[in-house]
């Protein structure tokens, strides 16, 4: 399996550092920057811990390890981007014509 941009996947935190978390995504190591975890933005959310299961979205599949986010806003953006590039999505030209 390979991770691709805008893909959503469930991950498990395998290591935590002051700058982010290493995660396992079905056998692939990924990285969640501290600013891409809700605990960075809200003191009501506990920081990630080893063993936590999170729902993530792939932000950059070209990096090693791939960069992911567990922010809801990033997942929402990824869904919009996936819809725009899906084969069944109307083309931009079709949208302008209507």
């Amino acid at each position: 399996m390979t991770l691709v941009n805008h893909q959503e996947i469930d991950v498990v935190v395998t290591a935590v550092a002051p700058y982010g978390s290493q995660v396992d995504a079905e056998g692939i190591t990924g990285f969640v920057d501290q600013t891409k975890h809700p605990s960075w933005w809200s003191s009501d959310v506990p920081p990630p811990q080893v063993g936590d299961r999170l729902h993530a979205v792939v932000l950059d599949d070209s990096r090693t390890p791939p960069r992911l986010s567990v922010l809801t806003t990033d997942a929402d953006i990824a869904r919009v981007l996936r819809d725009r590039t899906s084969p069944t999505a109307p083309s931009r030209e079709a949208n302008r014509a209507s």
Side-chain angles (χ1 to χ4, degrees):
M1 178 185 152
T2 59
L3 298 177
V4 295
N5 287 337
H6 317 303
Q7 174 184 1
E8 292 183 59
I9 189 163
D10 292 323
V11 300
V12 177
V13 176
T14 56
V16 178
Y19 47 84
S21 303
Q22 179 177 302
V23 296
D24 176 77
E26 297 181 14
I28 299 172
T29 298
F31 181 77
V32 177
D33 185 275
Q34 68 182 358
T35 64
K36 294 300 183 178
H37 188 276
S39 63
W40 177 260
W41 304 103
S42 172
S43 60
D44 295 335
V45 178
Q49 295 183 11
V50 172
D52 285 353
R53 294 183 179 279
L54 307 169
H55 186 73
V57 62
V58 180
L59 298 178
D60 189 349
D61 61 7
S62 69
R63 305 219 16 216
T64 304
R67 297 309 195 259
L68 297 100
S69 171
V70 295
L71 296 177
T72 304
T73 53
D74 287 333
D76 292 342
I77 292 167
R79 289 179 193 128
V80 169
L81 293 172
R82 279 196 315 265
D83 288 346
R84 286 185 184 168
T85 59
S86 75
T88 58
S91 68
R92 288 185 183 170
E93 290 76 24
N95 286 338
R96 281 186 229 160
S98 51

